[in-house]
Amino acid sequence: MEEPEYVLICVAWPYANGPLHLGHVAGCYLPPDIHLRFERALGNRVLLVSGSDEHGTPITVTAEQQGVKPQDIVDKYHKINKQALLNLGCAWEPNIDPRGIEYGGALFNRTSDPRHKRYVQENFLALHKAGMFEKKTMHQYYEIRKDGGGRFLPDRYIEGTCPNCEYKSARGDQCDECGTTYEASELLSPHSKMNPNAEIEIRDTEHFFFRLDLFQKSLELHSKDNWDDWKTNVKAMTKNWLDMGLRPRAVTRDLDWGIKLPLEGDEWDGKCVYVWFEAVQGYYTCARIWSEEFAEQSHPDGNAAWEKWWKNPESGTQPRHLYFLGKDNIPFHTVIWPALIMGLNNTDNNISADSDLRPGIGDLHLEDNVPAMEFLMLAGGQFSKSRKHAVWLPAFLDRFQPDTLRYYLSINMPENHDTDFNWPDFVEKVNNELIGTYGNFVHRVMTLAARLDEGAGENPLTKYNDLSIMGTEIDKITELHSKITASLQKHRYKEALRGAMNIAQLGNQMLQEATPWKFLTEPEDANDEWYTSRDISLAKLAFGWRISRTLAILTQPFIPFSAQQLWDNLGLAGEVSQVSWGDALNWDIAMTWTGEVPKPLFTKLDLEEILEQEKQLAEQSTTSDSQDPTHGVKGGKKKENEIMIEAPEGITYLEFDTFLKVELRTGRITNVEEHPNADKLYVVSIDDGTTEGRTVCAGLKPYYSIEEMEGKAIVFVANLQPRKLRGVMSEGMLLAADDGNDNVKLISIDGEISVGSLVR
Ligand SMILES: [Zn+2]
């Protein structure tokens, strides 16, 4: 057998300012649990780390609004969210792998843990001493109290009118209405969100910035090393960041609620470590804390057990690092966090922007894959914690079997494009697929077998067991097994579950053809021919028992509760989660039996009833605004008469009307200059047929010289929201083709046509 691998599964840290909703579950929390269960079944050593992200302004804002302490908010939601994840069957407990501590375990920690704070402060100092921070002055709004004192206002504490769309409640750095980002000083009629009448002014404030720019080259090399394994969305987002050129990023801010700076001096009073800088280190601190807490006594490496999952060993295979998160979080995990890790690996070295800082032996390992998900939408709109447009996980689990949700979100996982949660679809998939195909098959096998039971205590199918007369079923299942394995290795969970469902389907067909129900009782005129037919038919039913066992093993990562129930119903001992993946194809196992007719694994759902409950909950929630969101379930109904054609894997269909909204026009490049603040951008002037023309920032510097671009006839997006890129206003976008291998070509026009012509 191959040496088991060390696999570190890192899960994005949920923010502890509200309950988790189904969008979080589909995007971040279910996929890593499926993957962990799969890796364990392969025999690998898996350590699972995450926890509540408990610092930062969203928490202080929630606390101030509710008139409680930030600590009360995080204590409440840490508990609720952890319990909800456990109720969903996510393997956060036990903390030690059931196979033993050498096989790893799991820890769902919190960033308020003093040990987390200590490690973060150590890392902060190490990076600071190594010269990887620089100090800069920022301009920040300051709220002045009547007594002359006051406080700095982080961006979420400032509200004003959006300079772009005039939305009245725009935040300090970004407008939630139109998405524009801006400097706080550009906001119109700014005021303190908590004390709208307080006097405010802009003041200078000193902060540390992490020198991300030092890691540009190393990150480019590192991402190339992994390029072929990464999903399209991960590559696109990472490339986008790297192409813009990396700049130092603030690691401190003016806020009390967070980790204190490990520095002497009054000038650092009232400042803390920026939440992004510490929360992202949670993957590392959590592994160390797990080690301190659980491995010290029992692991051969004691307190240093974490290194098995984190450091590149002198000999043998490197650990494998997988990060699970939503698409909005990608650059933090493919750019910022690996840069911090490389920084921590090199605090004793003198590094420069030309250094290749990819980890060597003894260094902390970088991410191998970041299988980020797209979004799960709710009845066509985005889930939103702040706008309370959501189906909350705790409330959902009060009403439904967790495996129904796990099944639905797996078969509907937003792997390559956004998918939608709606009640009719949920009910249909659970009733027709999970129950109709899977549940029915295993239940049929067991009830038919029970009718043969003559009370002998052993499985009545045993005497009909005869693999030699099986047709193509064994080959087909073997092939599906290897396909499912390959899909899981590529993080294609939907495809993998589809494969398991195909096995159930195959079992149903087999029974349908074999008609075992005709052979359960012997007719008085039974002859040799009848006995031969019976033996063949019941051999298939006996094989149905074996297929059910295979299904229990293969569906365990997806629907662990029902898989275990099925395992028990089959009379098999122990935990199905501890059975090896390859053993799903073991056809020689003794056929066990409980002697009882099992209850069905699932209960059918009633759409009418669910919609009625939804209506009542929606009414309750509109009559009481203070309602605790953990107990309310709100959802939407799919619009009636809407015909949805499901797009093939990897393709997102666009509504034709949406496409028509994009205005493409022809133009000619009249002038190209280097962008003053961005290494990879040009500032391109375009004759677009208007007298004033327009300016567009384009990331084409690595691919074109200025001379090559000037005079070219091009196609551009004319109605893109103008936005500032590093201080230069960009009014559109040039169209270019990119083959993903560093080959980028502008789209040009075939022949003469006047500038400003519409492209259709
Ligand atoms: Zn706006």
Side-chain angles (χ1 to χ4, degrees), residues 132-158:
M132 294 184 204
F133 292 160
E134 67 183 18
K135 219 192 273 181
K136 282 195 198 181
T137 304
M138 295 176 84
H139 313 293
Q140 185 91 44
Y141 279 103
Y142 191 87
E143 180 183 313
I144 305 165
R145 282 200 310 263
K146 293 248 156 57
D147 63 7
R151 61 169 177 177
F152 278 104
L153 297 172
D155 291 328
R156 273 176 192 261
Y157 276 81
I158 277 285

Side-chain angles (χ1 to χ4, degrees), residues 43 72 169 223 226 339 395 449 486 518 541 552 619 663 677 682 692 719:
D72 299 336
S169 309
S223 64
N226 293 287
K518 291 185 185 162
L541 180 60
E619 279 161 10
E663 189 186 323
N677 301 318
Y682 279 135
E692 58 274 23
N719 59 342

